[in-house]
Structure formats: C-alpha cells, structure tokens
Amino acid sequence: MSSEVIDSNPYSRLMALKRMGIVNNYEQIRNFSVAVVGVGGVGSVAAEMLTRCGIGRLLLYDYDTVELANMNRLFFRPEQAGMTKTDAAVQTLLQINPDVILESYTINITTMDGFNKFVESLKRQVMSHTRGGSTGVDLVLSCVDNYEARMVVNQACNELGQTWMESGVSEDAVSGHIQLLIPGETACFACAPPLVVASGIDERTLKREGVCAASLPTTMGIVAGVLVQNALKYLLQFGLVSKYLGYSALKDFFPTMEMRPNPQCSNEACLDRQKEYLEQKPARDAAKAAAELESAESEASIPLHSDNIWNISVVEDHEPVSSVSTAKQENLPDGLLWELPTADTLETTLSEEILAENGDLDDLQRQLDALNAS
Amino acid sequence: MSSEVIDSNPYSRLMALKRMGIVNNYEQIRNFSVAVVGVGGVGSVAAEMLTRCGIGRLLLYDYDTVELANMNRLFFRPEQAGMTKTDAAVQTLLQINPDVILESYTINITTMDGFNKFVESLKRQVMSHTRGGSTGVDLVLSCVDNYEARMVVNQACNELGQTWMESGVSEDAVSGHIQLLIPGETACFACAPPLVVASGIDERTLKREGVCAASLPTTMGIVAGVLVQNALKYLLQFGLVSKYLGYSALKDFFPTMEMRPNPQCSNEACLDRQKEYLEQKPARDAAKAAAELESAESEASIPLHSDNIWNISVVEDHEPVSSVSTAKQENLPDGLLWELPTADTLETTLSEEILAENGDLDDLQRQLDALNAS
C-alpha cells in the first residue's frame, strides 16, 4: 500500500491519515478480514466503503436478488436486476478494487444448513493476521433487515466469541442505529428483551399485503457510514468506538448509550462468555493499572498538549464517555461557549435499539400498554 | 411517480414515506431543481442520492477530472479515470435513473467567465414549480473543497437571494459539517471572519509539495448523507432542517448551532438581503401569529397523540430547537431515562465551521494566540 502522492495511486489519500497523525498503522488494513452479513441498503454501501479503503478480505452473505425496487438506495444498478445481490456486489466491488479478496456466500443464514456454512466460513483462517480471537475474521458487520437473522448472527458470534457490530434502519426510513457487541462484555442481542418483535408480529406480512417499508438512500448511507467508520476505528485502533449510536433524521439527533450484558440472558452461549469475561477481570485490572502507571509517567515527562483547542485526540477504550463533554468545555477559546450534555451515555436494561426497530409507534405503544395492564 | 408495491417499481420505497406519515407530498420531488457545485467526494454521492430519490432536475458543476487517487471515495469507478467529473457523473447517474433531467457544467466558477455562467444557469427557469424565490433552482448544494469556491457560491447566492447549503470535510478526514444559508436570515459565508483561511495559507500548496489531504469514504458518505437528508427535509417540508450540523468522527459527536447574519458583513449583497429581511419582519410576525392561532385551535379540537412514545413528528420550522429534549423526556416509557442536553444550539459570531476547516490544530492555536497578543 503506497503512500506516494500521485494521481494514479488509489491509496494516497488513505495513507495521508498517517501523515496527519490520525491513524498510526493504516497499511494494516490489508491484514483484516471483515464479514458483511446482508448486502442490502446498508450492507452493500458498507462493503463498498471497506473495498475502497483497501480492506484485506471481505466475506459477503445474502440470498436475495437485486430488484428495481432497490434502486432508491445506493450501490446496485438497474442492469443488475435479477442477479443475486452477492454476485452483483462482487461484480461491482472487483471492478472498484481488485486488491480485495472477496468471498461471497449466497446462503440464508437462518436455515440450519445456512447457519452451519456461516459459522464454518467465519472460522476459516485465510489471512495470517487477525485482530485477536480464534476465528478467521476480525469483525462481523450485521446489515440484515429482520429480527430472525439478527438472532442468528448473535448466536454464531456468541458461540465463537466473535466481536460484531449490528446496524439497522427503521421501517419509516428516518431513524437508524449501530451497536458494538463484544460477547461477555457488552449486551448481546438477546440480553435485552425484544418486546416488540417477539410478540408475534411477522415482519414478512409487510410484503404479503402489498405494502412495503419505506427507505431512503440518505439514511442507509449515513448508517453504513457510521458503521464502517466505527469498524475502521475498532480495527485500526484510533478514536473512540461507539458502543451504541442512534440517528434520528427528523431532528438530526444522535444519541449514544452503553448496554451491559444481562446476567439472566436467555442465550446460553452469552452466559458462557459473560462467565469467562468475569473470570478474566483480575488480569484486565492488572493490565489496566500497568497502562495507567505508564500513562502517568509519560504525562509527567511530556506536558499536556494545551494548545489543542478542539480536543481531538486518540482516546483509550476504557476512558469514560462522559469525560468527553467536560474536556471539551475546558479547552474552548474565550468567546465560544458549548452547551453540552453533562453525560451522553445511558445504561439501561431495556434496549432502545430493539424498540426502535419497530416502525409502527401506535402498535408498539398498544403492546406496551397491554404488558403493563396484564 | 407510482406508489405501487411491485419489484419493478423504483419508487415504491420512497412513496411508502407517505403511507408511513413521514412526508405528505413525496411525489413533489419531481418538481424540484437542485444544483450540486463540486462533484467530488461529497458532491458525487449527494448527486447519486438525489438521483435515486427521483429529483426532478440536477445541475452539476465541476472542472476537474477523475483520477485513480479519487477511488478511496464512493461513486467514481477506475475505468472513468481521465474523464471530466461532470461527464463521468452524468454517465453513471443517467444509467441509475433516466427520469432525472441532468445538466452538467464543466466550468471553473472561480473565474469571471465561470461565475457568469454559474449565475446564468441558476437563473434559468426550466421547471414549472420552484420552492419560492426568483431563480430557476430550489436549492444549491455547495460541495467544493476550497475557500475561494465557497466565497463564489456565497456571492452568487447572496446576489440571487438563493437559499443554499454548504458542506465540508476537514483535511484530516475525520470531521465535517453542513450549514444552511438563507441570505439575509442566517449568517452568510462572509459574515463570520474566516480567520484561518484568510491568514495567508494557500490551500493549493498541499498538492504542490507532493503531499495531499486525507480522505475517507465514510466521512464523505456521512456528510453527503446528512446534506441530502436536510435538503429533502427542506424541499419536502418535513422534520427540522439543521442550521448547522457538525460531525467529529473520532468521538461520534454531532454539534449543532445557529449563526445570525453579521450587520457588519463585508459582503454588500448580504447587507442588502439583511435589510430586506428586516423590512419584511412585520409581515412575518403577522403570518406567524396567524399560524399559531390556527395551531392552537386545531390542538384544542384534536387531542395530542399521547401514545407516540418516540415523539416522532413533523416539526414546524419556527419551533425552537431547545424544545426537542424536553418533549422527548416527557414521552419516554417508565424505566427509560434520557440524559440529554437542555439546549443543543449555540449562537456565536465566531464560525466554528470555518475553524473546523483547518486540520492543523497547533497552527490554528498559534494564530489565535497571535491575534490575542496583538
């Protein structure tokens, strides 16, 4: 991956991230394998972004075909109508960047056979270097559009101890979210009770009744953008990876929160990962103390960068999110005043993200009312 | 524009926005003309989004050619290297949606000749319906990458009284912004002193020295997404159009603020528009009072939608932004608690957006220090 600044180098603007001090190791992106599950409005754009970033290896999963009705989202072209989404995606992505190793799986992961193939493909070691963990991929990005498929990704990742990111866009097209799921450490997709979806609504009725969910290329593009941006931050270890980031298009509101795992989670693999995570606590605490000691020593010798008025810095994973606003206020020049949240995180056992999946607000409220009444 | 739910209808998912109650008049998008100035990392994606949304008419401006070094952003394909960006964009967009009227202008708007052609093209009335104003376009989206071109768009829009939206991505690729500029009503691009850019740094030195700015398809895609999302909200009159929305990728921080016009603005056309805006205040106040009276009467007869727990609603343009958080807290179900800003707007005469343009924080601080010391 060359950093030479010539018009013919597709990586010059990416390698410039090193010169700018944003990413220390950009060329390592060639070593990473990322799985994109669901190649629809979000997944296809996420795959294109990763491809243009020069990701090492991309695994694509979908069983659907391209339709003209998909043309209101980015990526697919009208002449690809009728092709499988995986074939169409490989066609386009290969053309954009032949350096990327593409593997496509035209399978339905919610079937028993599909699930087994999915798990086997995640375990296969192809690249020499991974971000840690025992699988053959560094990160799984879930870009599916239904609850059942999310639960399948959740099951596979819990079993494998595989870190993944979930994404979703509401059926009214004006909200979305991404979420980071680290088995045992953060809430899994089954940890928070999926009140709405588990109550018997079949999402497939939408198509059967001759109606369809709304979608917008803007919302899909924004969700794909924040998903891959956080994937890059996670893989290349710069900035702060969001645990949960929501997006409300009507008001340009971007809530963040964190969700802890549920000790009563119904998913047994999740409970196993939680147990392992707790058992590893002494080792983590020791490593953290050592890192803090080292950090304190280096701070004593090197003065704080007091002239960084925008407070842009590489943030340690363990730094509490609430310190963002405090730090920002202290470093603003005279005459500028920020009115920020004193804390922008929220810990809750009720998953907003699962509630937000449901586009029909009235129906959701009726179900909550019924639960409260019973 | 058909709302029929069949696989062959490219507009079914867009027209579903009507059934979902998000947009009352989606099909009106066929009547709008939007100018996209600069068809680079942000502008090309913005143009594709508008094309897929079925915009009526799209005017594209750029004089640059596609290079392989552009392949780390979405949209252009390697085989288009060497073509002008306008030609390549028209080729791709026509293929995606032949319903859109495309006009491309391969001109440099910062030359005298280019500026005149730019202004004439904006004035030309082609579509029968516009969103108001005396020009032939409903909105101008500035997606240029330098200060000089932004000042030219500003000049043209001030002269024409043309509402426009500005966008930008920092040279370190990890922050960006969009801004709504309504001549006379909000700050124009010259209203806030551009401390950094006007201090003698020639942005073109970047290329001359064999170095280049960093860029990421994620940041560009997110900025294009929020730009076009706000353009859709503005054109189709739903939701709340952001006056300014920033994006900091390292911390997923999205600040908002409003900027009032500067009565001492150096731009004469801006001062003319400010004068007109003040003169029209009595008429605006009367219209606002009438609208509030009507709103109060309709609220008395129709009960509030008390079961809308997510508080998703169409927001009037004149509703204060600070009411967002209050309304949200009231409507959350038991067990959920939001920690939100009490106000997320900031009025200041110092343009954060212009400061954010500068990727070198140390240099920026040195300049501010020098100003304070003098």
Side-chain angles (χ1 to χ4, degrees):
Chain A
M1 186 169 270
S2 161
S3 60
E4 194 184 0
V5 181
I6 47 170
D7 287 343
S8 58
N9 178 13
Y11 300 119
S12 59
R13 263 91 165 165
L14 295 163
M15 290 296 279
L17 289 164
K18 287 181 73 169
R19 189 176 59 80
M20 298 268 178
I22 302 296
V23 183
N24 292 327
N25 52 351
Y26 191 85
E27 66 279 10
Q28 282 193 16
I29 199 162
R30 301 288 309 130
N31 301 329
F32 294 121
S33 297
V34 174
V36 176
V37 188
V39 190
V42 173
S44 63
V45 180
E48 178 172 349
M49 287 173 170
L50 287 165
T51 296
R52 292 187 182 263
C53 282
I55 195 81
R57 176 170 162 252
L58 209 48
L59 295 80
L60 304 172
Y61 304 83
D62 209 304
Y63 67 100
D64 210 358
T65 51
V66 178
E67 308 288 355
L68 283 180
N70 303 140
M71 291 308 133
N72 69 319
R73 283 91 94 184
L74 299 179
F75 191 75
F76 292 116
R77 301 188 302 271
E79 76 269 21
Q80 294 177 318
M83 291 175 76
T84 63
K85 287 184 177 175
T86 44
D87 283 352
V90 167
Q91 180 188 59
T92 300
L93 298 176
L94 260 183
Q95 194 187 29
I96 290 172
N97 189 350
D99 294 346
V100 179
I101 300 171
L102 292 170
E103 292 178 21
S104 81
Y105 298 90
T106 313
I107 56 174
N108 179 351
I109 62 164
T110 66
T111 64
M112 185 63 76
D113 182 53
F115 178 76
N116 290 334
K117 282 180 179 155
F118 177 49
V119 170
E120 286 312 305
S121 67
L122 294 179
K123 284 159 80 173
R124 193 177 306 123
Q125 306 266 354
V126 173
M127 314 279 286
S128 56
H129 175 275
T130 61
R131 171 91 165 72
S134 58
T135 70
V137 300
D138 299 280
L139 190 62
V140 172
L141 301 181
S142 169
C143 305
V144 298
D145 63 356
N146 65 86
Y147 170 72
E148 196 179 0
R150 285 185 176 91
M151 286 298 266
V152 166
V153 176
N154 188 60
Q155 181 64 35
C157 290
N158 276 345
E159 286 181 12
L160 297 168
Q162 173 65 55
T163 296
W164 61 294
M165 288 182 187
E166 143 70 4
S167 67
V169 172
S170 65
E171 286 176 2
D172 63 8
V174 285
S175 65
H177 71 274
I178 62 164
Q179 184 180 345
L180 173 67
L181 297 100
I182 308 173
E185 187 177 337
T186 68
C188 91
F189 196 73
C191 277
L195 286 175
V196 176
V197 189
S199 65
I201 300 170
D202 187 346
E203 291 171 321
R204 287 163 291 189
T205 56
L206 266 176
K207 278 187 181 175
R208 283 189 197 137
E209 290 170 18
V211 292
C212 66
S215 59
L216 281 166
T218 43
T219 309
M220 298 277 193
I222 292 164
V223 170
V226 295
L227 178 69
V228 176
Q229 195 85 290
N230 277 281
L232 293 174
K233 290 191 282 183
Y234 172 80
L235 294 169
L236 297 168
Q237 295 177 281
F238 67 100
L240 183 73
V241 181
S242 284
K243 299 291 179 14
Y244 176 97
L245 176 65
Y247 167 52
S248 166
L250 294 183
K251 293 177 178 176
D252 282 338
F253 177 59
F254 296 81
T256 58
M257 62 174 178
E258 294 193 22
M259 285 189 291
R260 289 193 182 144
N262 177 1
Q264 277 85 44
C265 181
S266 60
N267 186 292
E268 281 185 34
C270 175
L271 296 179
D272 290 345
R273 296 297 89 73
Q274 287 189 47
K275 196 176 157 205
E276 288 167 12
Y277 185 74
L278 284 176
E279 284 167 358
Q280 291 155 5
K281 189 174 188 302
R284 271 198 311 278
D285 286 349
K288 191 178 168 181
E292 277 170 5
L293 187 66
E294 195 184 332
S295 168
E297 280 168 359
S298 66
E299 270 177 28
S301 58
I302 303 166
L304 259 177
H305 218 209
S306 60
D307 54 357
N308 180 353
I309 62 156
W310 291 101
N311 196 39
I312 294 176
S313 62
V314 177
V315 177
E316 298 294 327
D317 263 5
H318 58 265
E319 180 181 307
V321 178
S322 59
S323 72
V324 170
S325 49
T326 323
K328 242 178 224 292
Q329 276 169 330
E330 285 166 1
N331 288 314
L332 281 180
D334 287 349
L336 270 182
L337 177 71
W338 283 108
E339 287 189 23
L340 289 181
T342 51
D344 51 2
T345 61
L346 166 67
E347 294 203 350
T348 169
T349 54
L350 181 60
S351 163
E352 188 218 14
E353 161 268 322
I354 287 160
L355 290 174
E357 287 298 315
N358 190 290
D360 187 337
L361 302 173
D362 294 354
D363 191 64
L364 174 58
Q365 187 60 48
R366 277 193 294 277
Q367 292 173 57
L368 287 171
D369 290 343
L371 281 168
N372 289 334
S374 64
Chain B
M1 185 170 270
S2 161
S3 61
E4 194 183 359
V5 181
I6 46 171
D7 287 344
S8 58
N9 177 13
Y11 299 119
S12 58
R13 263 92 165 164
L14 295 164
M15 290 296 280
L17 289 164
K18 287 181 72 170
R19 189 177 58 79
M20 298 270 178
I22 301 296
V23 183
N24 292 326
N25 51 350
Y26 191 84
E27 67 279 8
Q28 282 193 16
I29 199 162
R30 302 289 308 130
N31 300 329
F32 294 121
S33 298
V34 174
V36 176
V37 188
V39 190
V42 172
S44 63
V45 180
E48 179 172 349
M49 287 174 170
L50 287 166
T51 297
R52 291 186 183 265
C53 282
I55 195 81
R57 176 170 162 251
L58 209 50
L59 295 81
L60 304 173
Y61 304 83
D62 209 302
Y63 68 99
D64 210 358
T65 52
V66 179
E67 307 289 356
L68 284 179
N70 304 140
M71 291 307 133
N72 69 320
R73 282 92 92 185
L74 299 178
F75 193 76
F76 292 117
R77 301 189 302 271
E79 76 268 22
Q80 293 177 319
M83 291 176 76
T84 63
K85 287 184 178 175
T86 43
D87 282 352
V90 167
Q91 180 187 60
T92 300
L93 298 176
L94 260 184
Q95 194 186 30
I96 290 171
N97 190 350
D99 293 346
V100 178
I101 300 171
L102 292 170
E103 291 177 22
S104 81
Y105 298 89
T106 313
I107 56 174
N108 180 351
I109 61 164
T110 66
T111 65
M112 186 63 77
D113 182 53
F115 178 76
N116 290 335
K117 282 180 179 156
F118 177 48
V119 170
E120 286 311 306
S121 67
L122 294 179
K123 283 159 81 174
R124 194 176 305 121
Q125 306 268 353
V126 174
M127 315 278 288
S128 56
H129 174 276
T130 62
R131 172 90 165 71
S134 57
T135 70
V137 301
D138 299 280
L139 190 62
V140 173
L141 301 181
S142 169
C143 306
V144 299
D145 62 356
N146 65 86
Y147 170 71
E148 196 179 0
R150 285 185 176 91
M151 286 298 266
V152 166
V153 176
N154 188 61
Q155 181 64 35
C157 291
N158 276 345
E159 286 181 13
L160 297 168
Q162 173 66 54
T163 296
W164 62 294
M165 288 181 185
E166 143 71 4
S167 68
V169 172
S170 65
E171 285 176 2
D172 63 7
V174 284
S175 64
H177 72 273
I178 61 164
Q179 183 181 346
L180 173 68
L181 297 99
I182 309 174
E185 185 177 339
T186 69
C188 90
F189 196 72
C191 276
L195 286 173
V196 176
V197 189
S199 65
I201 300 169
D202 187 346
E203 290 171 320
R204 286 163 292 188
T205 57
L206 267 176
K207 278 187 180 174
R208 282 188 197 137
E209 292 170 16
V211 292
C212 66
S215 59
L216 281 166
T218 44
T219 308
M220 298 278 192
I222 292 164
V223 170
V226 294
L227 179 69
V228 176
Q229 194 85 289
N230 277 281
L232 293 174
K233 290 191 283 183
Y234 172 79
L235 294 170
L236 297 169
Q237 294 178 281
F238 67 100
L240 184 73
V241 180
S242 285
K243 299 291 181 9
Y244 177 97
L245 176 67
Y247 167 53
S248 166
L250 294 182
K251 292 179 177 174
D252 282 337
F253 177 58
F254 296 82
T256 59
M257 63 173 177
E258 294 193 22
M259 285 188 291
R260 290 194 182 143
N262 177 359
Q264 277 86 45
C265 181
S266 61
N267 186 292
E268 281 185 34
C270 174
L271 296 179
D272 290 344
R273 296 296 90 73
Q274 288 188 46
K275 196 177 157 205
E276 289 168 11
Y277 185 73
L278 284 176
E279 284 166 0
Q280 291 154 6
K281 188 173 188 303
R284 271 197 311 278
D285 287 347
K288 192 178 168 182
E292 277 170 5
L293 188 66
E294 195 185 333
S295 167
E297 279 168 1
S298 66
E299 270 177 27
S301 58
I302 303 165
L304 261 175
H305 217 210
S306 59
D307 53 358
N308 179 353
I309 63 157
W310 292 100
N311 196 39
I312 295 176
S313 61
V314 176
V315 177
E316 299 294 328
D317 262 5
H318 58 266
E319 180 180 307
V321 178
S322 59
S323 72
V324 170
S325 49
T326 322
K328 244 179 220 296
Q329 277 169 331
E330 285 166 2
N331 288 314
L332 281 179
D334 287 350
L336 270 183
L337 178 71
W338 283 108
E339 287 187 22
L340 289 182
T342 51
D344 50 1
T345 61
L346 165 68
E347 294 201 352
T348 170
T349 54
L350 181 60
S351 164
E352 189 218 14
E353 162 266 323
I354 287 159
L355 291 173
E357 287 298 315
N358 190 290
D360 187 338
L361 301 174
D362 295 354
D363 190 63
L364 174 57
Q365 186 61 48
R366 277 192 294 277
Q367 291 174 57
L368 287 171
D369 290 344
L371 281 170
N372 289 335
S374 64

